[in-house]
Amino acid sequence: MPQCARVQACTPRRQALGLMGAGMLGAGLLIGPLTLQAAGIRQRLLMSYNDDYAPYSFIDPLTQPGRVQGILPDVLQALLKDLDSIEIENLGLPWRRAQAVVKLGQADGLCTFASDERKVYAHFNDVPLVELRPHLFFSARHPQRAQLEKLRSREELKAFQLVDQKGNQWAEQTLADFPHVEWTTGHDAIFRMVMAARGDVHVSLSPLVTQWRLKKLAIHAQVMSIPAPYMAASVPFHVGLRQDFPGARQILAHLDRRLSQSGSAQLIDNIVRNYAG
């Protein structure tokens, strides 16, 4: 079965848009959200999310299998609900594949750190959807716990063995000059290594994400965390749409206007609190 079919990347939609585009271009019109809205047509926007990054995006196979939940899809839906030209649908996949389907044109967008690599195939909006605050996580039984708790600089942190997940791209960029980094293929493997003393510390983008995972693994009482603002004061997550998506820049500009309006910050805070509870 073709990759496109497996991720429900909507060949019928592409065919329909192709036929519609031929007619509109023949009439000298630009295909985009405003054109579609004027024609009474809603264009599907297929957003691709990490299916295991709770509470920002996740799928719970026990309660709601197949449905993408989380802060990111809820915030984006709330901010774009007044854009009548598009209809948002969500796709949840392992993170590497979630990025790949956008890069390959089999999905339309993602919400994440706007890395240099992702900017090659996606346009990103300017105003962050959310901002994450990096923290250090390490075993409460670490023999150098007191020293870890006193860390105040990147140079001090370089003396320790770090453990991180390959593929999030923020870590690859930020830790490029660190001499001791062990890369894993998943979040759970990070903490198995930390608890087994096969690594000293993990730099987490978000304590909210990590605490959620530690509770799931039933080891939250065994792991310490401290803020690490010297790694980054914050890590912004933006919305990226593949560069050949019709009207991508118009949609992103609309999103920036909504994010800049009074009340949007409170709306986002309410959604975050709903999951942080």
Side-chain angles (χ1 to χ4, degrees), residues 84-256:
D84 295 332
S85 59
I86 62 169
E87 181 174 359
I88 299 175
E89 293 187 16
N90 299 324
L91 176 68
L93 295 167
W95 186 225
R96 283 179 177 273
R97 190 174 171 209
Q99 297 171 85
V101 294
V102 178
K103 186 175 182 179
L104 295 171
Q106 297 168 357
D108 304 317
L110 69 175
C111 300
T112 187
F113 170 65
S115 68
D116 294 339
E117 181 179 328
R118 292 170 185 142
K119 289 178 181 178
V120 172
Y121 59 86
H123 296 308
F124 284 86
N125 75 308
D126 294 326
V127 183
L129 206 64
V130 295
E131 293 190 64
L132 283 57
R133 311 288 177 180
H135 278 55
L136 303 185
F137 282 81
F138 49 89
S139 171
R141 300 191 302 270
H142 196 288
Q144 294 176 281
R145 170 178 165 176
Q147 187 175 345
L148 285 165
E149 290 177 333
K150 293 177 182 177
L151 289 175
R152 295 295 182 271
S153 73
R154 287 172 55 89
E155 290 305 312
E156 292 175 329
L157 182 58
K158 286 180 181 180
F160 292 89
Q161 177 77 36
L162 274 62
V163 186
D164 215 311
Q165 181 183 15
K166 195 75 172 176
N168 74 19
Q169 295 186 18
W170 179 83
E172 284 95 328
Q173 287 187 196
T174 305
L175 304 179
D177 61 332
F178 276 65
H180 312 295
V181 183
E182 182 76 20
W183 298 101
T184 75
T185 57
H187 282 99
D188 292 355
I190 290 172
F191 295 103
R192 283 195 293 269
M193 292 182 67
V194 168
M195 297 307 295
R198 293 174 54 200
D200 297 315
V201 62
H202 168 58
V203 182
S204 169
L205 281 176
S206 167
L208 191 60
V209 170
T210 304
Q211 291 292 355
W212 186 295
R213 187 170 299 276
L214 293 176
K215 289 178 182 178
K216 174 185 170 184
L217 296 172
I219 59 172
H220 57 284
Q222 305 171 46
V223 178
M224 302 293 298
S225 72
I226 58 172
Y230 47 85
M231 298 303 293
S234 67
V235 179
F237 270 33
H238 297 263
V239 174
L241 301 181
R242 58 182 173 83
Q243 294 180 359
D244 60 348
F245 184 78
R249 290 191 182 278
Q250 292 171 280
I251 295 170
L252 295 174
H254 178 86
L255 177 61
D256 281 332

